[in-house]
Structures are given as structure tokens and as C-alpha cells.
Amino acid sequence: MKEIIDYIISWLCYGDEEAAARVAYTADETALDKYDVIIVPNGLLGKELVLPELKKPVVEQPAKGKAIIRTDIVYSTFFFTSRAEELINPKRDEHGRFAARFSALSYKSRLQIPRLDEYARLVLKQLDLPLPEPGFGHIYLTHDIDAITRYRHLRGALGGIFRGEGKQVFASLQNIHKDPIYTFPWILEQDKKIADAETIYFVKRTQGKGYDYPQYHLWGRDYKRLKHMLRHNNAYIGVHGSYYGDIPTIEYSRMFRAHYLRCDIDRMQQLADAGYTDDFTMGFADQAGFRLQTSRAVRWINPKTMKLTPLTLHPLMIMDNTLSQANYMNLSEDEAYFLCERLIDKVRLHHGDLCLLWHNSIFTDDTYHRSLYPKVLSLIA
């Protein structure tokens, strides 16, 4: 348990070990003789899972340069970053996901406030340390490649012909750049506008059945051409896991994102055991915001075993389908833009890591995303 407590206190101090050494997690107020800040435990950590109240912490200052935080922000940090809520709430959506609508975070737009980042600022303030300068720690522009093309595989071509799209099918087969969802050159050009961003493309390695359809082969000509283009443009490649929960062995990347954002606690442990180091799944599909209640990367604590794992969770704030899909937020382009602006501003304020997800297949004429995405990038720049 000490390892977990020490890690959380260090994380609340933005990794400043000297600052963390000035903070104690104890009910013994005489510890103020040795420490500058005391966080009083609620007695739940490692014993019981109870949803914390998301409220302004109670702080007392019994002497100059000394503070007692009577709200257990260590437990709150553990609870939300470990996804312990999924253990005490059995509700799941049609894809087996713990959706935002089941979470206490969906109440009164709590998802749009990174409460744990506010707690971290509180700790720094009580330690009389400077707050992080507004800006971004990292910017991750990520893209899930569910399909490389619409028509350049048998089922896609036959389906297109059946729907009367024969001209489009023929054009795609003749020239991959004519395929409507082969939008990678355009995406790469847009992403270059953010000079210090890391671009990551998550690539499927599945059998292409059911919700994993369509299959594309990593040894196929289309993917090899795409991979060369991505590498040439300094993009990273991550693993896009199967909808059905299979964890690929580590081969070409230790970065992972689950298909359909379908990831639970057991699967996260499997990722850690398999050697993956960075997971980019942690966003809700049905609502944009801060699923982990933070904009900063955090190592995952398994709430079942109470073990600190080597797996780092990178919070996902915004996904394209979340904004526009009818069964999710169903926002207009203007509404989506203003929500993105609000969330991006929150990340910037806390010097967090901004992580966005737009699929290559969504930049088509029948969505507003080809117009929205450059506007969102301009908010970052």
C-alpha cells in the first residue's frame, strides 16, 4: 500500500519528489512537526470501494506554512484513475462497456472538469510552490485505422457495386487515393500544423470478423505503402486491439488502444502482463471529457489486486464519433467546436496532455469533421 500512496502523492505534486516528501498521508496531526501538508485518510483505501464526493476539499491552516487537507484526495485519485467505479457499478452498454451515462461523472457535466488536476493544484498551493504554466505537457493526435479503404477488398467492392457505387469502386481499384476513406495524406498535412504534436496511428491486427470487420493484412501492399508514408512523416504506430478482447503479443509497438474503446479492468491487467506500457483507451465513447478526472498521464493501479502496474494510462478527451453520432452526443458542428474549446482550455490550464482521436474514415463528404478537425487544431495552435 505504501508504494501506491507514495506514487499518488508524487503524482499530485506533478512528479516533484522534493515536494512529495513534504506531504504526509496520516490522521496524526502531530506529523505537522515533520511535514508541511497532511492529507487525512478516510479509512477506505485498500479496504472498501466507495464513490468519493466530488467537492471542494476542506483545508485548514493551523500555522504559517502548514496545512491539513481533511478531504481524502489520495483515495479520490486512486478511485478515479484505477477505474474502481466499474467494480461497484455492474451496468454495461450493448458493447459491454461501462458507459458515461452509467457513471456518477455524467451528472451536471462533471466529466468536463478534471477534478484531480484541481486537487493537484491545491497541494502545490499549500506547499507554496508555483503552479504549472498554462500549456500542454504533450499533444497526442491519434487516429484509429479501422479500415484503410472502403472498396479495395472483396466485400467492400461487392457492396459498393450492389449500392450502385460502381464508378467509385473502379476509381478506388485504379488509384488508392481515389478511395473516399483513404484520407491519410490530408490528415498528415493537417497534423503538421501542430509542430510539437505526437501523431499516433493505431493499426488493427485482427481476423476481420464481426465488429473487427474489415480485415487488412499488415503484409498487404496497401498497408505497406501506408506504413512507409506514416514513417516518412514521423508518425508513430500503435496496436488497435480486437473488439473481442484478444491481446496481441508485443511485436511492433507497446502503445495500445482497444477497438470501440472496449476495455475493462481484467483486460487492462492483461495488457500490463503482455508488456504494453501505454494505453490510450481511457475515454468514454458516449460523452467527451475526463473519464479519469485528469488530463495527465497516470500509472494504472489495479483496484482488484491493489497493485501499481507499469501500464501508463493516457486520458482520451475527445473522439470524433462521440461528438457527432446520433446515439452519443449528437452535436452540431458549432456545438462540437465549443465543447472542444472548453475541454482543450481545461487541459491547457493544468498543463495536461491533450489526446484527441479522429478516424481516417470519418473525413468524408457526409460528415462535418473535415471542416471541424482543422478548427480544433487551430484551438491548439
Short mmCIF file of all heavy atoms in Angstrom, two decimals, residues 101-152:
data_model
loop_
_atom_site.label_atom_id
_atom_site.label_comp_id
_atom_site.label_asym_id
_atom_site.label_seq_id
_atom_site.Cartn_x
_atom_site.Cartn_y
_atom_site.Cartn_z
N ARG A 101 -22.92 7.34 -19.30
CA ARG A 101 -24.27 7.55 -18.76
C ARG A 101 -24.53 6.73 -17.49
O ARG A 101 -25.47 7.01 -16.76
CB ARG A 101 -25.32 7.22 -19.81
CG ARG A 101 -25.35 5.78 -20.31
CD ARG A 101 -26.42 5.61 -21.37
NE ARG A 101 -26.52 4.27 -21.89
CZ ARG A 101 -25.83 3.79 -22.91
NH1 ARG A 101 -24.94 4.58 -23.52
NH2 ARG A 101 -25.98 2.56 -23.34
N PHE A 102 -23.69 5.72 -17.24
CA PHE A 102 -23.82 4.94 -16.01
C PHE A 102 -22.99 5.53 -14.87
O PHE A 102 -23.16 5.15 -13.72
CB PHE A 102 -23.36 3.49 -16.24
CG PHE A 102 -24.05 2.80 -17.38
CD1 PHE A 102 -23.33 1.99 -18.25
CD2 PHE A 102 -25.41 2.95 -17.60
CE1 PHE A 102 -23.95 1.34 -19.31
CE2 PHE A 102 -26.04 2.32 -18.66
CZ PHE A 102 -25.31 1.51 -19.52
N SER A 103 -22.11 6.43 -15.21
CA SER A 103 -21.13 6.92 -14.23
C SER A 103 -21.66 8.13 -13.46
O SER A 103 -22.43 8.95 -14.00
CB SER A 103 -19.83 7.32 -14.93
OG SER A 103 -18.93 7.93 -14.05
N ALA A 104 -21.24 8.25 -12.23
CA ALA A 104 -21.56 9.44 -11.44
C ALA A 104 -20.95 10.69 -12.07
O ALA A 104 -21.39 11.81 -11.79
CB ALA A 104 -21.04 9.27 -10.02
N LEU A 105 -19.97 10.52 -12.93
CA LEU A 105 -19.30 11.66 -13.55
C LEU A 105 -20.18 12.35 -14.59
O LEU A 105 -19.90 13.48 -14.98
CB LEU A 105 -18.00 11.21 -14.22
CG LEU A 105 -16.93 10.64 -13.28
CD1 LEU A 105 -15.75 10.15 -14.08
CD2 LEU A 105 -16.51 11.67 -12.26
N SER A 106 -21.21 11.68 -15.08
CA SER A 106 -22.07 12.28 -16.09
C SER A 106 -23.04 13.30 -15.49
O SER A 106 -23.68 14.06 -16.21
CB SER A 106 -22.86 11.19 -16.83
OG SER A 106 -23.77 10.55 -15.94
N TYR A 107 -23.14 13.33 -14.18
CA TYR A 107 -24.08 14.24 -13.51
C TYR A 107 -23.56 15.67 -13.56
O TYR A 107 -22.43 15.95 -13.17
CB TYR A 107 -24.26 13.78 -12.06
CG TYR A 107 -25.21 14.64 -11.24
CD1 TYR A 107 -26.57 14.69 -11.54
CD2 TYR A 107 -24.74 15.39 -10.18
CE1 TYR A 107 -27.43 15.47 -10.79
CE2 TYR A 107 -25.60 16.18 -9.43
CZ TYR A 107 -26.94 16.21 -9.73
OH TYR A 107 -27.79 16.99 -8.99
N LYS A 108 -24.40 16.58 -14.06
CA LYS A 108 -24.07 18.01 -14.11
C LYS A 108 -22.71 18.29 -14.75
O LYS A 108 -21.92 19.10 -14.27
CB LYS A 108 -24.12 18.63 -12.70
CG LYS A 108 -25.53 18.73 -12.13
CD LYS A 108 -25.53 19.51 -10.82
CE LYS A 108 -26.96 19.67 -10.31
NZ LYS A 108 -27.00 20.42 -9.03
N SER A 109 -22.44 17.60 -15.84
CA SER A 109 -21.23 17.85 -16.64
C SER A 109 -19.93 17.68 -15.86
O SER A 109 -18.92 18.33 -16.13
CB SER A 109 -21.28 19.27 -17.26
OG SER A 109 -22.41 19.42 -18.07
N ARG A 110 -19.93 16.80 -14.86
CA ARG A 110 -18.70 16.57 -14.11
C ARG A 110 -17.57 16.07 -15.00
O ARG A 110 -16.39 16.26 -14.69
CB ARG A 110 -18.96 15.55 -12.99
CG ARG A 110 -19.75 16.12 -11.82
CD ARG A 110 -20.09 15.03 -10.83
NE ARG A 110 -20.74 15.56 -9.63
CZ ARG A 110 -21.31 14.80 -8.70
NH1 ARG A 110 -21.31 13.49 -8.82
NH2 ARG A 110 -21.87 15.35 -7.64
N LEU A 111 -17.93 15.39 -16.09
CA LEU A 111 -16.91 14.87 -17.00
C LEU A 111 -16.07 15.98 -17.62
O LEU A 111 -14.97 15.74 -18.10
CB LEU A 111 -17.56 14.04 -18.11
CG LEU A 111 -17.66 12.55 -17.91
CD1 LEU A 111 -18.41 11.91 -19.07
CD2 LEU A 111 -16.29 11.93 -17.77
N GLN A 112 -16.59 17.18 -17.65
CA GLN A 112 -15.88 18.28 -18.30
C GLN A 112 -14.94 19.01 -17.36
O GLN A 112 -14.35 20.03 -17.73
CB GLN A 112 -16.90 19.24 -18.92
CG GLN A 112 -17.73 18.59 -20.01
CD GLN A 112 -18.80 19.51 -20.56
OE1 GLN A 112 -18.71 20.73 -20.47
NE2 GLN A 112 -19.84 18.93 -21.15
N ILE A 113 -14.79 18.51 -16.14
CA ILE A 113 -13.90 19.12 -15.16
C ILE A 113 -12.88 18.09 -14.69
O ILE A 113 -13.27 17.07 -14.13
CB ILE A 113 -14.68 19.64 -13.94
CG1 ILE A 113 -15.75 20.65 -14.37
CG2 ILE A 113 -13.74 20.26 -12.91
CD1 ILE A 113 -16.69 21.06 -13.26
N PRO A 114 -11.59 18.32 -14.91
CA PRO A 114 -10.56 17.38 -14.42
C PRO A 114 -10.29 17.62 -12.93
O PRO A 114 -9.34 18.27 -12.54
CB PRO A 114 -9.35 17.71 -15.29
CG PRO A 114 -9.52 19.16 -15.61
CD PRO A 114 -11.00 19.41 -15.68
N ARG A 115 -11.16 17.05 -12.11
CA ARG A 115 -11.15 17.36 -10.68
C ARG A 115 -9.81 17.02 -10.02
O ARG A 115 -9.33 17.74 -9.14
CB ARG A 115 -12.27 16.60 -9.99
CG ARG A 115 -12.54 17.05 -8.57
CD ARG A 115 -13.20 18.41 -8.51
NE ARG A 115 -14.54 18.37 -9.10
CZ ARG A 115 -15.32 19.44 -9.20
NH1 ARG A 115 -14.89 20.61 -8.78
NH2 ARG A 115 -16.52 19.35 -9.75
N LEU A 116 -9.19 15.93 -10.45
CA LEU A 116 -7.93 15.54 -9.82
C LEU A 116 -6.81 16.53 -10.13
O LEU A 116 -5.91 16.73 -9.31
CB LEU A 116 -7.53 14.14 -10.26
CG LEU A 116 -8.53 13.02 -9.94
CD1 LEU A 116 -7.97 11.68 -10.39
CD2 LEU A 116 -8.88 12.99 -8.46
N ASP A 117 -6.88 17.16 -11.29
CA ASP A 117 -5.90 18.20 -11.60
C ASP A 117 -6.10 19.41 -10.69
O ASP A 117 -5.13 20.06 -10.29
CB ASP A 117 -6.02 18.62 -13.07
CG ASP A 117 -5.59 17.52 -14.03
OD1 ASP A 117 -4.91 16.58 -13.58
OD2 ASP A 117 -5.94 17.60 -15.22
N GLU A 118 -7.36 19.69 -10.35
CA GLU A 118 -7.62 20.77 -9.39
C GLU A 118 -7.07 20.41 -8.01
O GLU A 118 -6.53 21.27 -7.31
CB GLU A 118 -9.12 21.04 -9.31
CG GLU A 118 -9.71 21.59 -10.61
CD GLU A 118 -11.19 21.91 -10.48
OE1 GLU A 118 -11.81 21.47 -9.49
OE2 GLU A 118 -11.72 22.60 -11.38
N TYR A 119 -7.19 19.13 -7.63
CA TYR A 119 -6.62 18.70 -6.35
C TYR A 119 -5.10 18.86 -6.34
O TYR A 119 -4.51 19.26 -5.33
CB TYR A 119 -6.99 17.24 -6.07
CG TYR A 119 -8.45 16.99 -5.82
CD1 TYR A 119 -8.96 15.70 -5.77
CD2 TYR A 119 -9.35 18.03 -5.62
CE1 TYR A 119 -10.30 15.44 -5.53
CE2 TYR A 119 -10.70 17.79 -5.38
CZ TYR A 119 -11.17 16.49 -5.34
OH TYR A 119 -12.50 16.25 -5.10
N ALA A 120 -4.47 18.53 -7.48
CA ALA A 120 -3.02 18.66 -7.56
C ALA A 120 -2.60 20.12 -7.41
O ALA A 120 -1.61 20.43 -6.72
CB ALA A 120 -2.52 18.10 -8.89
N ARG A 121 -3.33 21.02 -8.03
CA ARG A 121 -3.03 22.44 -7.89
C ARG A 121 -3.19 22.89 -6.43
O ARG A 121 -2.42 23.71 -5.93
CB ARG A 121 -3.95 23.27 -8.79
CG ARG A 121 -3.65 23.11 -10.27
CD ARG A 121 -4.71 23.79 -11.11
NE ARG A 121 -4.64 25.23 -11.03
CZ ARG A 121 -3.91 26.00 -11.84
NH1 ARG A 121 -3.14 25.44 -12.77
NH2 ARG A 121 -3.91 27.31 -11.72
N LEU A 122 -4.19 22.33 -5.76
CA LEU A 122 -4.40 22.65 -4.35
C LEU A 122 -3.19 22.25 -3.50
O LEU A 122 -2.74 23.01 -2.64
CB LEU A 122 -5.65 21.94 -3.84
CG LEU A 122 -5.90 22.02 -2.33
CD1 LEU A 122 -6.23 23.44 -1.91
CD2 LEU A 122 -7.01 21.07 -1.92
N VAL A 123 -2.65 21.05 -3.75
CA VAL A 123 -1.49 20.59 -3.00
C VAL A 123 -0.30 21.51 -3.24
O VAL A 123 0.39 21.93 -2.29
CB VAL A 123 -1.14 19.13 -3.38
CG1 VAL A 123 0.18 18.71 -2.73
CG2 VAL A 123 -2.25 18.19 -2.95
N LEU A 124 -0.04 21.86 -4.49
CA LEU A 124 1.08 22.75 -4.79
C LEU A 124 0.89 24.11 -4.11
O LEU A 124 1.85 24.70 -3.60
CB LEU A 124 1.20 22.94 -6.31
CG LEU A 124 1.59 21.71 -7.12
CD1 LEU A 124 1.69 22.08 -8.60
CD2 LEU A 124 2.91 21.12 -6.65
N LYS A 125 -0.34 24.59 -4.11
CA LYS A 125 -0.61 25.88 -3.48
C LYS A 125 -0.33 25.82 -1.98
O LYS A 125 0.26 26.75 -1.41
CB LYS A 125 -2.06 26.28 -3.74
CG LYS A 125 -2.43 27.66 -3.21
CD LYS A 125 -3.86 28.01 -3.57
CE LYS A 125 -4.22 29.41 -3.03
NZ LYS A 125 -5.63 29.77 -3.36
N GLN A 126 -0.74 24.73 -1.32
CA GLN A 126 -0.49 24.60 0.12
C GLN A 126 0.99 24.47 0.43
O GLN A 126 1.44 24.83 1.52
CB GLN A 126 -1.27 23.40 0.68
CG GLN A 126 -2.78 23.49 0.52
CD GLN A 126 -3.37 24.79 1.03
OE1 GLN A 126 -3.03 25.26 2.11
NE2 GLN A 126 -4.23 25.39 0.22
N LEU A 127 1.74 23.95 -0.54
CA LEU A 127 3.19 23.84 -0.37
C LEU A 127 3.91 25.13 -0.76
O LEU A 127 5.14 25.21 -0.70
CB LEU A 127 3.73 22.68 -1.21
CG LEU A 127 3.33 21.28 -0.75
CD1 LEU A 127 3.72 20.24 -1.81
CD2 LEU A 127 3.99 20.93 0.59
N ASP A 128 3.12 26.14 -1.16
CA ASP A 128 3.66 27.42 -1.60
C ASP A 128 4.63 27.26 -2.76
O ASP A 128 5.69 27.89 -2.83
CB ASP A 128 4.36 28.14 -0.44
CG ASP A 128 4.56 29.63 -0.71
OD1 ASP A 128 3.77 30.19 -1.50
OD2 ASP A 128 5.51 30.22 -0.17
N LEU A 129 4.23 26.38 -3.70
CA LEU A 129 5.02 26.14 -4.90
C LEU A 129 4.32 26.75 -6.11
O LEU A 129 3.08 26.86 -6.13
CB LEU A 129 5.21 24.63 -5.12
CG LEU A 129 6.08 23.92 -4.09
CD1 LEU A 129 6.03 22.41 -4.33
CD2 LEU A 129 7.51 24.42 -4.14
N PRO A 130 5.06 27.14 -7.12
CA PRO A 130 4.42 27.72 -8.32
C PRO A 130 3.56 26.70 -9.03
O PRO A 130 3.90 25.52 -9.10
CB PRO A 130 5.61 28.16 -9.18
CG PRO A 130 6.76 27.32 -8.70
CD PRO A 130 6.53 27.10 -7.23
N LEU A 131 2.43 27.17 -9.55
CA LEU A 131 1.55 26.30 -10.30
C LEU A 131 2.11 26.11 -11.71
O LEU A 131 2.86 26.95 -12.21
CB LEU A 131 0.15 26.90 -10.38
CG LEU A 131 -0.55 27.13 -9.04
CD1 LEU A 131 -1.91 27.78 -9.25
CD2 LEU A 131 -0.70 25.83 -8.26
N PRO A 132 1.79 24.98 -12.34
CA PRO A 132 2.28 24.75 -13.70
C PRO A 132 1.85 25.86 -14.65
O PRO A 132 0.71 26.35 -14.57
CB PRO A 132 1.63 23.41 -14.09
CG PRO A 132 1.28 22.76 -12.80
CD PRO A 132 0.96 23.87 -11.84
N GLU A 133 2.75 26.27 -15.51
CA GLU A 133 2.40 27.28 -16.51
C GLU A 133 1.36 26.72 -17.47
O GLU A 133 1.42 25.54 -17.84
CB GLU A 133 3.65 27.68 -17.29
CG GLU A 133 4.66 28.48 -16.48
CD GLU A 133 4.18 29.88 -16.16
OE1 GLU A 133 3.36 30.41 -16.93
OE2 GLU A 133 4.61 30.42 -15.13
N PRO A 134 0.39 27.52 -17.88
CA PRO A 134 -0.59 27.04 -18.87
C PRO A 134 0.12 26.57 -20.14
O PRO A 134 1.08 27.19 -20.59
CB PRO A 134 -1.45 28.28 -19.13
CG PRO A 134 -1.33 29.10 -17.88
CD PRO A 134 0.09 28.88 -17.41
N GLY A 135 -0.33 25.49 -20.66
CA GLY A 135 0.27 24.90 -21.86
C GLY A 135 -0.03 23.42 -21.88
O GLY A 135 -0.87 22.93 -21.13
N PHE A 136 0.65 22.70 -22.73
CA PHE A 136 0.43 21.27 -22.87
C PHE A 136 1.71 20.51 -22.54
O PHE A 136 2.80 20.86 -23.02
CB PHE A 136 -0.01 20.91 -24.29
CG PHE A 136 -1.28 21.60 -24.72
CD1 PHE A 136 -1.24 22.62 -25.66
CD2 PHE A 136 -2.50 21.24 -24.19
CE1 PHE A 136 -2.40 23.26 -26.06
CE2 PHE A 136 -3.66 21.88 -24.58
CZ PHE A 136 -3.61 22.89 -25.51
N GLY A 137 1.56 19.48 -21.70
CA GLY A 137 2.70 18.60 -21.46
C GLY A 137 3.04 17.82 -22.72
O GLY A 137 4.20 17.77 -23.16
N HIS A 138 2.03 17.20 -23.30
CA HIS A 138 2.14 16.50 -24.59
C HIS A 138 0.86 16.74 -25.37
O HIS A 138 -0.19 16.99 -24.79
CB HIS A 138 2.34 14.99 -24.39
CG HIS A 138 3.64 14.61 -23.76
ND1 HIS A 138 3.82 14.56 -22.39
CD2 HIS A 138 4.83 14.25 -24.31
CE1 HIS A 138 5.05 14.19 -22.11
NE2 HIS A 138 5.69 14.01 -23.25
N ILE A 139 0.98 16.65 -26.67
CA ILE A 139 -0.19 16.69 -27.56
C ILE A 139 -0.16 15.41 -28.38
O ILE A 139 0.80 15.17 -29.13
CB ILE A 139 -0.16 17.92 -28.48
CG1 ILE A 139 -0.14 19.21 -27.65
CG2 ILE A 139 -1.37 17.91 -29.42
CD1 ILE A 139 0.11 20.45 -28.48
N TYR A 140 -1.20 14.61 -28.23
CA TYR A 140 -1.30 13.36 -28.99
C TYR A 140 -2.45 13.47 -29.98
O TYR A 140 -3.62 13.54 -29.59
CB TYR A 140 -1.56 12.18 -28.05
CG TYR A 140 -0.47 11.92 -27.03
CD1 TYR A 140 -0.67 12.22 -25.68
CD2 TYR A 140 0.76 11.39 -27.41
CE1 TYR A 140 0.32 11.99 -24.74
CE2 TYR A 140 1.76 11.16 -26.47
CZ TYR A 140 1.53 11.46 -25.13
OH TYR A 140 2.52 11.22 -24.20
N LEU A 141 -2.11 13.52 -31.26
CA LEU A 141 -3.12 13.50 -32.32
C LEU A 141 -3.18 12.06 -32.81
O LEU A 141 -2.27 11.58 -33.50
CB LEU A 141 -2.73 14.46 -33.45
CG LEU A 141 -2.47 15.91 -33.02
CD1 LEU A 141 -2.06 16.76 -34.21
CD2 LEU A 141 -3.70 16.50 -32.34
N THR A 142 -4.22 11.35 -32.43
CA THR A 142 -4.27 9.91 -32.70
C THR A 142 -5.39 9.60 -33.70
O THR A 142 -6.40 10.30 -33.78
CB THR A 142 -4.49 9.10 -31.40
OG1 THR A 142 -5.85 9.22 -30.96
CG2 THR A 142 -3.55 9.58 -30.31
N HIS A 143 -5.15 8.51 -34.45
CA HIS A 143 -6.09 8.10 -35.49
C HIS A 143 -6.18 6.57 -35.50
O HIS A 143 -5.15 5.90 -35.62
CB HIS A 143 -5.62 8.60 -36.85
CG HIS A 143 -5.34 10.08 -36.88
ND1 HIS A 143 -6.34 11.02 -36.97
CD2 HIS A 143 -4.16 10.78 -36.79
CE1 HIS A 143 -5.79 12.23 -36.94
NE2 HIS A 143 -4.48 12.11 -36.84
N ASP A 144 -7.39 6.06 -35.34
CA ASP A 144 -7.60 4.62 -35.39
C ASP A 144 -7.89 4.21 -36.83
O ASP A 144 -8.81 4.75 -37.46
CB ASP A 144 -8.78 4.20 -34.50
CG ASP A 144 -8.46 4.34 -33.02
OD1 ASP A 144 -7.33 4.71 -32.69
OD2 ASP A 144 -9.36 4.07 -32.21
N ILE A 145 -7.13 3.26 -37.34
CA ILE A 145 -7.34 2.79 -38.72
C ILE A 145 -8.21 1.54 -38.65
O ILE A 145 -7.73 0.40 -38.64
CB ILE A 145 -5.99 2.49 -39.42
CG1 ILE A 145 -5.06 3.71 -39.32
CG2 ILE A 145 -6.23 2.13 -40.89
CD1 ILE A 145 -3.69 3.49 -39.94
N ASP A 146 -9.51 1.75 -38.61
CA ASP A 146 -10.44 0.61 -38.64
C ASP A 146 -10.48 -0.01 -40.03
O ASP A 146 -10.72 -1.21 -40.17
CB ASP A 146 -11.84 1.07 -38.22
CG ASP A 146 -11.88 1.52 -36.77
OD1 ASP A 146 -10.95 1.18 -36.01
OD2 ASP A 146 -12.83 2.23 -36.40
N ALA A 147 -10.29 0.81 -41.04
CA ALA A 147 -10.21 0.34 -42.43
C ALA A 147 -9.30 1.29 -43.19
O ALA A 147 -9.37 2.51 -42.99
CB ALA A 147 -11.59 0.29 -43.08
N ILE A 148 -8.47 0.74 -44.08
CA ILE A 148 -7.60 1.59 -44.88
C ILE A 148 -8.38 2.20 -46.04
O ILE A 148 -8.23 3.38 -46.37
CB ILE A 148 -6.40 0.79 -45.41
CG1 ILE A 148 -5.54 0.29 -44.24
CG2 ILE A 148 -5.54 1.64 -46.36
CD1 ILE A 148 -4.38 -0.59 -44.66
N THR A 149 -9.21 1.37 -46.66
CA THR A 149 -10.01 1.81 -47.79
C THR A 149 -11.42 1.26 -47.66
O THR A 149 -11.68 0.33 -46.89
CB THR A 149 -9.42 1.32 -49.13
OG1 THR A 149 -9.45 -0.11 -49.15
CG2 THR A 149 -7.99 1.81 -49.32
N ARG A 150 -12.34 1.82 -48.42
CA ARG A 150 -13.72 1.33 -48.41
C ARG A 150 -13.94 0.23 -49.44
O ARG A 150 -14.70 -0.70 -49.19
CB ARG A 150 -14.69 2.48 -48.68
CG ARG A 150 -16.16 2.08 -48.72
CD ARG A 150 -17.07 3.28 -48.86
NE ARG A 150 -17.01 4.10 -47.65
CZ ARG A 150 -17.57 5.30 -47.54
NH1 ARG A 150 -18.17 5.85 -48.60
NH2 ARG A 150 -17.50 5.96 -46.41
N TYR A 151 -13.26 0.33 -50.57
CA TYR A 151 -13.60 -0.54 -51.69
C TYR A 151 -12.53 -1.54 -52.09
O TYR A 151 -12.81 -2.47 -52.84
CB TYR A 151 -13.92 0.32 -52.93
CG TYR A 151 -15.09 1.25 -52.77
CD1 TYR A 151 -14.95 2.62 -52.98
CD2 TYR A 151 -16.35 0.76 -52.42
CE1 TYR A 151 -16.03 3.48 -52.84
CE2 TYR A 151 -17.44 1.62 -52.29
CZ TYR A 151 -17.26 2.98 -52.49
OH TYR A 151 -18.34 3.82 -52.36
N ARG A 152 -11.31 -1.42 -51.59
CA ARG A 152 -10.22 -2.25 -52.10
C ARG A 152 -10.09 -3.57 -51.34
O ARG A 152 -9.00 -4.03 -51.01
CB ARG A 152 -8.91 -1.46 -52.04
CG ARG A 152 -8.87 -0.33 -53.06
CD ARG A 152 -7.69 0.59 -52.81
NE ARG A 152 -6.40 -0.05 -53.04
CZ ARG A 152 -5.76 -0.03 -54.20
NH1 ARG A 152 -6.31 0.55 -55.27
NH2 ARG A 152 -4.58 -0.60 -54.31
#
